[in-house]
Each structure stands twice: as structure tokens, then as C-alpha cells.
Amino acid sequence: MLCAVRVFTQKFSPPPFAIKADCRFRSLLGHSSIMNSSSRSAPREEVRTNGTGDGCISLQEWQGWGSGSPVPAMVNELVEDLKLLKKNNDAQMKFGGLGGKLKGDFRIQEDKKHRATYQALSDSEKKFQFYSARQIACRLLGSKGYLCQKCWLPLEDCMCSKLKPSPLWHGIRFWLYMHPKDFLRQNNTGKLLWQVFGVQAATLCLYGIAEDEEIMWNTFKLAGSFILILMVA
């Protein structure tokens, strides 16, 4: 659900303003996620297993989901932690619902582990980065082989063939600032931006992922005469 728009034109303010803007949009994102939660449809409680192989999330796989950034280091670390926990406990990862949430005994074991890691972090920013990376790591593993990478719908319900790509006006670029809980949600409509206009014209930035946020704010500072529209989802 798209809930806010901000337009940035030629004169972009110095970094201190960017920091304040970041805080303001973070506050807005937190508010929007609470507001949206009451209106979202109930998740489908289909439970599926994931027989994850070896290796990290590749750049091709990561960018296939709509991102234009490098694979976040912390996301790959958490993917490896999940795989190691699965191996050590000889347990299957089970996922279900719209958000690809962990289910069953493995969820209980993983929850204890991640809570201990979270509580050991003293810095609030690091805590949120860990929270965001964990959300994204679980969603990537739970959606692999189940959701279409383009439309984020189950493969049997893929609607990519129904969409018609369209060029965006010259000099305009969208940035979609997305909460990690909305990443790979089947009912997220923000993904339509880059499906229709392409990833070069509509770029995904995940809230709490340092690599994404750094790219976005640096782009805003160097925008020149381009019009950048930041949409919060």
C-alpha cells in the first residue's frame, strides 16, 4: 500500500537534512506498517518446507526480486545462520502465510537464537538492522521456488503476462522505501512500479538495510535536475 509521496528536485540539502529526512520517513514507515496491518487480508496458512542448498543468496537471485543493490551482507550472514541451525538440529524449515513466516519446531529454536542475538546488541540502530535483515532472510528462503520473483505471487497465480510495461517520463525516477515486513508480501502493490516502469526507473530501498539506504540518499544528493519521487510503502 502506498501511503506517502515526497518530491525532490534540483537543489538537494546537505547530509544533515538527509539524516533528518531519514528519521522522518522512518517514523512514517513505522506508522504506516501499524496502520496497514489492520486492513490487510488474513494470510493463507499454507505450510511449505524449504530444502535450502549450500551457498549464500546470489546477486542474480537478490536482484531478481526487484532490488538494484548488492546483496546485503547481514542478510547473507543470517541466511547462513539459518542453514547452520537447520543442519545442527536436523530440522526442516517450514514457512507459511503471506509473509513467509517460519512455522513449527524450527521456528521455536530459531526464535530463541535470534532473541538472544538481538538482546546482546546495545545500539538501537544495529538492533533494527538485525531485525530487518532477519525478516528479509526468512522471506527469501520461504519464497524461493514458491513465489514469482517479478510479481511476488505464487507461481501458479503469476500475473506477469497481464502487465504491460510503460516508459516513464524523462527525468523522473521513483524510489520505493519499503518496510521489511512488506518485502515479498503477495498483496504489496508497490512492486507494480518497477514491474511497469522497470528497475532503472523505479528502485526498491528496504528500510533498515544500510546498503540500500546509503545508495538512495547518495542518489538524492546527486540528483541534479532529475525529479526523484520517494514513495513509502
Side-chain angles (χ1 to χ4, degrees), residues 31-104:
H31 176 68
S32 72
S33 66
I34 294 172
M35 294 295 289
N36 290 342
S37 63
S38 61
S39 61
R40 288 171 181 151
S41 58
R44 185 170 58 184
E45 287 301 320
E46 176 184 351
V47 177
R48 54 194 178 274
T49 58
N50 185 296
T52 53
D54 296 329
C56 301
I57 301 296
S58 69
L59 180 64
Q60 182 179 5
E61 180 184 349
W62 171 246
Q63 295 188 344
W65 292 110
S67 176
S69 69
V71 185
M74 192 176 292
V75 170
N76 253 338
E77 288 176 15
L78 284 162
V79 167
E80 287 302 304
D81 285 348
L82 285 164
K83 291 179 180 179
L84 184 61
L85 184 65
K86 173 180 178 287
K87 181 179 178 181
N88 291 342
N89 289 276
D90 193 24
Q92 278 193 324
M93 290 189 206
K94 294 182 179 181
F95 299 88
L98 290 175
K101 295 179 181 179
L102 283 168
K103 301 286 184 179

Side-chain angles (χ1 to χ4, degrees), residues 20 26 116:
K20 291 179 181 178
R26 283 171 178 248

Side-chain angles (χ1 to χ4, degrees), residues 50-182:
N50 185 296
T52 53
D54 296 329
C56 301
I57 301 296
S58 69
L59 180 64
Q60 182 179 5
E61 180 184 349
W62 171 246
Q63 295 188 344
W65 292 110
S67 176
S69 69
V71 185
M74 192 176 292
V75 170
N76 253 338
E77 288 176 15
L78 284 162
V79 167
E80 287 302 304
D81 285 348
L82 285 164
K83 291 179 180 179
L84 184 61
L85 184 65
K86 173 180 178 287
K87 181 179 178 181
N88 291 342
N89 289 276
D90 193 24
Q92 278 193 324
M93 290 189 206
K94 294 182 179 181
F95 299 88
L98 290 175
K101 295 179 181 179
L102 283 168
K103 301 286 184 179
D105 293 338
F106 185 85
R107 181 194 67 80
I108 297 172
Q109 298 170 34
E110 192 277 336
D111 189 63
K112 290 179 181 178
K113 186 176 185 297
H114 103 259
R115 285 180 182 275
T117 303
Y118 181 86
Q119 291 170 1
L121 297 171
S122 57
D123 182 80
S124 60
E125 185 71 13
K126 289 181 179 179
K127 282 187 173 183
F128 190 78
Q129 288 176 352
F130 174 79
Y131 164 83
S132 297
R134 177 182 172 270
Q135 286 282 334
I136 292 165
C138 287
R139 286 159 193 265
L140 287 170
L141 291 175
S143 302
K144 190 173 184 179
Y146 173 65
L147 296 184
C148 168
Q149 285 193 295
K150 302 298 182 184
C151 65
W152 297 1
L153 293 175
L155 292 170
E156 64 268 24
D157 299 326
C158 175
M159 295 187 66
C160 291
S161 61
K162 308 289 185 183
L163 293 174
K164 295 182 178 179
S166 175
L168 195 60
W169 290 342
H170 178 71
I172 294 180
R173 182 176 177 183
F174 286 102
W175 281 86
L176 189 66
Y177 203 7
M178 185 179 291
H179 194 282
K181 280 193 171 184
D182 286 319

